[in-house]
Amino acid sequence: MPYDIPRDSVALEPAGDAIHFHLAVFGAGKTCRITVTALRSLDQGQGGNWLAIFDTHRLRIGQRAFAYLSRDLRVSSVVLRALDF
């Protein structure tokens, strides 16, 4: 894969409304966020732990973030929302 999400880069934001992570794309680091609403959508409303949901759907989240960033590699970050899934 041309991208990777380092495990140590995944963290819940202090406000608790999103998870931020780094996506290494062709060797360049990009900052990404996924909202808890998007995580809830991926979890189908089952009410799991946000970090556990992220880990379960890591591949899909990475693919979606990469799809956005590959359109314009000059963009430094992306925010994934529920409508993205």
Side-chain angles (χ1 to χ4, degrees), residues 4-67:
D4 181 45
I5 301 173
R7 290 203 180 273
D8 63 344
S9 75
V10 180
L12 186 62
E13 291 192 347
D17 61 344
I19 286 181
H20 69 268
F21 60 97
H22 295 285
L23 190 72
V25 180
F26 300 115
K30 305 292 182 175
T31 302
C32 303
R33 295 176 72 233
I34 182 167
T35 64
V36 294
T37 307
L39 290 169
R40 190 176 298 122
S41 173
L42 286 170
D43 192 41
Q44 298 177 346
Q46 294 182 8
N49 173 293
W50 300 130
L51 292 172
I53 295 167
F54 182 92
D55 199 45
T56 301
H57 298 282
R58 176 182 293 272
L59 179 62
R60 188 170 177 197
I61 292 167
Q63 288 171 336
R64 185 63 63 191
F66 178 73

